Amino acid sequence: MGSQPSKSSDSVSFSMVGNNLNISDDIIKRLAKSNETDFSRNEESERLLEKEVNKRLIQLEKETLKNFENHLETSLILSEIEPEPLSSGNLDKKIETLEGRLKQLQASQRDVLDDKGRKIEEDLLKCLVDNKGKPLNCYEYIQQFNKAVSQ
């Protein structure tokens, strides 16, 4: 009746009168043509959720790998590696220095222990050898040794 059309093609309207629900013909036609069901909506939402979770997992994996590489670059292991190539001569020198340091440590330990401490140490070593793979069987000897060393 005037300059406005009576119905627009995209209009969707419904109203409730009492207990009856009045739905426009457009909504009924769209629902009839739609292939969407509760099951298909659930599947689609699960797919979207999986997609987002996968994106986040990939992002976390990249961050973790980057952090690991940064940590590896700054670790003590890499800082101790010498740039010179390994040779038997270099290895022999390193072994000799380590053996010397070990002997010094053992000598300083021997000075700490008296005869009673040495006896406890021998008992502990014998127990560990006798119970190979079962160090908990020698717990009492370990405690005695710790007491002797701490004195």
Side-chain angles (χ1 to χ4, degrees), residues 116-130 138 141 144:
K116 183 180 178 184
R118 288 189 191 112
K119 170 80 169 108
I120 293 171
E121 181 184 22
E122 289 172 7
D123 291 343
L124 174 61
L125 290 174
K126 183 179 180 218
C127 179
L128 289 173
V129 169
D130 291 343
C138 303
Y141 292 110
Q144 290 174 4

Side-chain angles (χ1 to χ4, degrees), residues 96-148:
E96 287 175 8
T97 57
L98 290 174
E99 284 177 346
R101 289 172 60 188
L102 181 62
K103 286 179 183 177
Q104 288 176 349
L105 287 173
Q106 288 175 343
S108 65
Q109 184 183 20
R110 292 285 180 207
D111 294 340
V112 170
L113 294 177
D114 57 356
D115 290 334
K116 183 180 178 184
R118 288 189 191 112
K119 170 80 169 108
I120 293 171
E121 181 184 22
E122 289 172 7
D123 291 343
L124 174 61
L125 290 174
K126 183 179 180 218
C127 179
L128 289 173
V129 169
D130 291 343
N131 295 297
K132 193 171 189 174
K134 301 175 188 175
L136 291 178
N137 291 347
C138 303
Y139 181 75
E140 292 175 19
Y141 292 110
I142 293 171
Q143 293 301 320
Q144 290 174 4
F145 183 74
N146 286 338
K147 286 180 186 176

Side-chain angles (χ1 to χ4, degrees), residues 14 26 53 59 71 73 88 93 104 106 108 119 138 151:
F14 65 92
D26 290 332
V53 167
Q59 180 184 9
H71 181 70
E73 287 176 2
S88 61
K93 289 178 186 176
Q104 288 176 349
Q106 288 175 343
S108 65
K119 170 80 169 108
C138 303
Q151 293 175 353

Side-chain angles (χ1 to χ4, degrees), residues 77-94:
I77 295 171
L78 289 179
S79 64
E80 290 179 359
I81 296 176
E82 296 177 4
E84 63 186 56
L86 291 177
S87 66
S88 61
N90 289 343
L91 288 176
D92 287 340
K93 289 178 186 176
K94 288 181 182 182

Side-chain angles (χ1 to χ4, degrees), residues 6-134:
S6 61
K7 277 191 175 179
S8 65
S9 61
D10 291 345
S11 71
V12 175
S13 64
F14 65 92
S15 62
M16 285 199 61
V17 179
N19 289 337
N20 295 331
L21 178 64
N22 295 328
I23 301 175
S24 69
D25 291 338
D26 290 332
I27 294 176
I28 293 173
K29 287 178 185 176
R30 286 184 192 169
L31 288 174
K33 289 180 182 177
S34 175
N35 293 333
E36 191 175 72
T37 64
D38 286 343
F39 180 74
S40 64
R41 280 191 298 270
N42 284 340
E43 281 187 336
E44 183 65 24
S45 64
E46 285 180 15
R47 272 188 253 130
L48 289 174
L49 184 64
E50 285 178 9
K51 190 177 185 180
E52 292 300 316
V53 167
N54 283 334
K55 282 182 188 177
R56 182 66 179 143
L57 284 174
I58 290 170
Q59 180 184 9
L60 287 173
E61 183 180 10
K62 287 179 182 178
E63 288 175 8
T64 304
L65 185 59
K66 185 177 179 181
N67 289 339
F68 177 72
E69 288 173 352
N70 289 339
H71 181 70
L72 190 60
E73 287 176 2
T74 60
S75 70
L76 293 174
I77 295 171
L78 289 179
S79 64
E80 290 179 359
I81 296 176
E82 296 177 4
E84 63 186 56
L86 291 177
S87 66
S88 61
N90 289 343
L91 288 176
D92 287 340
K93 289 178 186 176
K94 288 181 182 182
I95 290 172
E96 287 175 8
T97 57
L98 290 174
E99 284 177 346
R101 289 172 60 188
L102 181 62
K103 286 179 183 177
Q104 288 176 349
L105 287 173
Q106 288 175 343
S108 65
Q109 184 183 20
R110 292 285 180 207
D111 294 340
V112 170
L113 294 177
D114 57 356
D115 290 334
K116 183 180 178 184
R118 288 189 191 112
K119 170 80 169 108
I120 293 171
E121 181 184 22
E122 289 172 7
D123 291 343
L124 174 61
L125 290 174
K126 183 179 180 218
C127 179
L128 289 173
V129 169
D130 291 343
N131 295 297
K132 193 171 189 174
K134 301 175 188 175

